[in-house]
């Protein structure tokens, strides 16, 4: 009887202990669920109120670091630039800046050139980094990508330097020739010779200034504000007339052909200037008694029909290394020939800008000693009109008109001897 009582008492005690342990485990589990985790410590719970919202609208790449240099918050732009990898700030100079700012509370700013990761290019990524304290324990890092701004600044400096050089040459020649005319005032033949040279340099200077104006205009103006259907055969005829004298002096035959009744959509003045530059280059870089051809046709593309205007010559051709740069401003394949023909090195740059602003492109095929073919591809007017009628809102955003003029019938392109 005493044994049974002891067993019952032991069982009761065991039951009480089990209940107590279960209750303690339940309370401990509740406490652990309420305790902040490592992840929550490194997100909104640590950041001061409103900081997360401000960081989300900043254009700069933003990184918030804690007292152990761990990344608490990082914007998507910071990951895209490669500043943060594996949850850590990957740029040592920026880490050191953050430590110095955390120590003395001073705001620091520095410009750095960082290597591009995974691009295979040797170009550096130019950034401006600014570090400031954020509360008592955090540090805020803001990074601006200056790469594009530096590239534009370099282009501007090169452009100014090239313009200065190109203007200085004819202006200096005119100054010297005017002194020569004054010294040879008693020699009519010398005066006539020097005056002829002055006219040549003055023409070169005038052409350079005009092409600078044209380049500025095609870069700044929207050609589609006053766009209209432009007849291709009229553009070709105008380009041929522009170069008729130079071609005749070299006995170059110019032939125009291709498909009739073609229209392109755009600004007539800019399109005429672009095609005229291509034909003029073909004549200037072709030997005497050769042929320059201009042909137009329609090609089908996913975005609508395009008009191809090809200008072919039998000139000196262009090497592969030069083909990559011929559309740059002031770049010349043959500087000596350009000086002889009065070229400024801006003609193809103007063609490129006109083609791009009209929704087209310009391409080149060439082989040294075999000639070149420049192809100007532009949207066909009817396709542009149909697109405008079907998607008026889209064309309004793109700056294209939503209406077009009715077409007039065109004669067949003329073949010129």
């Amino acid at each position: 009887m005493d044994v049974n009582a002891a067993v019952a008492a032991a069982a009761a005690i065991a039951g009480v202990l089990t209940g107590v342990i279960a209750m303690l485990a339940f309370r401990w589990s509740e406490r652990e669920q309420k305790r902040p985790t490592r992840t929550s410590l490194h997100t909104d719970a640590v950041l001061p109120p409103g900081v997360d919202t401000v960081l989300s609208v900043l254009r700069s790449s933003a990184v918030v670091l804690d007292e152990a240099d761990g990344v608490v918050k990082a914007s998507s732009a910071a990951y895209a630039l490669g500043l943060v990898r594996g949850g850590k700030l990957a740029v040592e100079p920026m880490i050191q800046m953050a430590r110095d700012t955390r120590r003395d509370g001073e705001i620091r700013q520095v410009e750095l050139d960082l290597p591009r990761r995974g691009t295979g290019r040797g170009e550096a990524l130019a950034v401006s980094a600014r570090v400031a304290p954020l509360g008592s324990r955090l540090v805020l890092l803001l990074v601006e990508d200056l790469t594009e701004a530096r590239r534009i600044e370099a282009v501007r400096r090169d452009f100014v330097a090239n313009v200065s050089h190109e203007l200085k040459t004819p202006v200096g020649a005119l100054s010297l020739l005017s002194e020569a005319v004054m010294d040879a005032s008693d020699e009519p033949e010398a005066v006539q010779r020097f005056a002829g040279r002055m006219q040549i340099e003055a023409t070169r200077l005038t052409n350079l200034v005009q092409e600078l104006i044209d380049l500025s205009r095609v870069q700044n103006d929207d050609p589609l504000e006053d766009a209209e259907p432009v007849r291709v055969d009229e553009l070709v005829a105008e380009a041929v007339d522009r170069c008729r004298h130079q071609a005749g002096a070299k006995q170059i035959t110019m032939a125009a052909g291709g498909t009739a009744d073609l229209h392109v959509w755009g600004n007539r003045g800019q399109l005429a200037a672009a095609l005229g530059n291509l034909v003029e280059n073909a004549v200037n870089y072709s030997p005497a008694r050769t042929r320059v051809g201009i042909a137009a046709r329609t090609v089908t593309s996913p975005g609508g029909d395009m008009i191809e205007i090809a200008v072919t010559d039998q000139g000196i051709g262009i090497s592969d290394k030069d083909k990559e740069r011929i559309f740059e401003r002031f770049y010349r394949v043959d500087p000596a020939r350009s000086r002889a023909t009065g070229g400024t090195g801006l003609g193809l740059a103007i063609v490129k800008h006109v083609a791009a602003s009209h929704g087209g492109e310009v391409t080149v095929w060439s082989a040294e000693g075999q000639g070149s073919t420049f192809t100007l591809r532009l949207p066909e007017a009817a396709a542009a009109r149909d697109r405008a009628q079907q998607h008026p809102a889209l064309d309004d955003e793109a700056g294209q008109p939503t209406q077009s003029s009715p077409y007039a019938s065109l004669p067949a392109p003329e073949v010129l001897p």
Side-chain angles (χ1 to χ4, degrees), residues 13-36:
I13 294 172
V16 171
L17 290 175
T18 302
V20 171
I21 292 173
M23 182 181 64
L24 292 176
F26 179 76
R27 293 291 180 87
W28 180 83
S29 176
E30 282 187 336
R31 188 185 309 170
E32 285 297 314
Q33 290 179 359
K34 293 180 180 181
R35 179 181 299 175

Side-chain angles (χ1 to χ4, degrees), residues 53-243:
T53 303
V54 173
L55 295 181
S56 65
V57 299
L58 286 178
R59 299 181 62 182
S60 306
S61 301
V63 181
V64 178
L65 302 176
D66 60 17
E67 63 274 13
D69 295 331
V71 175
V72 176
K73 184 78 175 179
S75 64
S76 57
Y79 287 97
L81 286 179
L83 304 179
V84 178
R85 291 192 297 273
K88 296 182 179 180
L89 186 62
V91 183
E92 184 60 34
M94 295 182 186
I95 296 176
Q96 188 59 47
M97 288 174 59
R99 291 171 179 171
D100 294 340
T101 297
R102 189 182 301 110
R103 184 181 63 253
D104 55 25
E106 292 186 3
I107 298 175
R108 288 173 168 81
Q109 183 170 353
V110 67
E111 292 189 2
L112 301 170
D113 291 332
L114 308 178
R116 292 181 182 267
R117 298 181 61 87
T119 62
R121 295 183 295 176
E123 302 173 359
L125 184 69
V127 298
S128 174
R130 185 179 179 88
V131 180
L134 186 63
S136 59
R137 296 185 302 141
L138 304 180
V139 173
L140 173 63
L141 171 67
L142 297 177
V143 180
E144 293 279 353
D145 186 357
L146 304 179
T147 308
E148 183 65 14
R150 285 193 180 181
R151 187 192 67 81
I152 294 175
E153 179 63 20
V155 171
R156 186 194 66 80
R157 286 198 305 268
D158 291 343
F159 181 73
V160 171
N162 286 327
V163 169
S164 301
H165 174 73
E166 295 295 334
L167 290 174
K168 183 179 179 180
T169 301
V171 169
L174 286 172
S175 177
L176 293 174
L177 288 169
S178 64
E179 293 178 3
V181 168
M182 294 177 62
D183 294 339
S185 57
D186 297 332
E187 303 177 28
E189 293 182 0
V191 170
Q192 187 175 4
R193 184 172 68 255
F194 292 142
R197 289 295 307 168
M198 291 179 70
Q199 287 182 340
I200 293 175
E201 295 298 335
T203 301
R204 179 176 298 175
L205 182 60
T206 301
N207 292 339
L208 175 59
V209 172
Q210 184 59 50
E211 290 203 344
L212 286 172
I213 294 173
D214 292 341
L215 180 61
S216 176
R217 185 173 298 156
V218 301
Q219 287 181 315
N220 297 327
D221 294 346
D222 183 359
L224 300 181
E225 287 183 356
D226 301 319
E228 60 180 344
V230 181
R231 300 194 295 188
V232 173
D233 68 324
E234 291 185 354
L235 295 177
V236 172
E238 186 174 335
V240 169
D241 287 340
R242 170 177 166 177
C243 304

Side-chain angles (χ1 to χ4, degrees), residues 329-368:
R329 303 164 186 163
F330 297 107
Y331 186 79
R332 297 180 176 91
V333 175
D334 187 348
R337 183 182 289 266
S338 294
R339 285 192 295 269
T341 59
T344 62
L346 291 174
L348 291 179
I350 292 174
V351 175
K352 179 181 178 181
H353 281 289
V354 170
S357 63
H358 282 76
E361 63 176 351
V362 58
T363 58
V364 58
W365 173 92
S366 185
E368 292 185 90

Side-chain angles (χ1 to χ4, degrees), residues 302-334:
D305 289 346
M306 303 287 286
I307 302 299
E308 284 189 352
I309 308 174
V311 180
T312 303
D313 63 60
Q314 298 173 320
I316 60 176
I318 305 170
S319 66
D320 291 337
K321 65 180 183 65
D322 288 323
K323 278 191 290 188
E324 298 177 358
R325 302 191 58 191
I326 56 174
F327 294 103
E328 296 180 9
R329 303 164 186 163
F330 297 107
Y331 186 79
R332 297 180 176 91
V333 175
D334 187 348

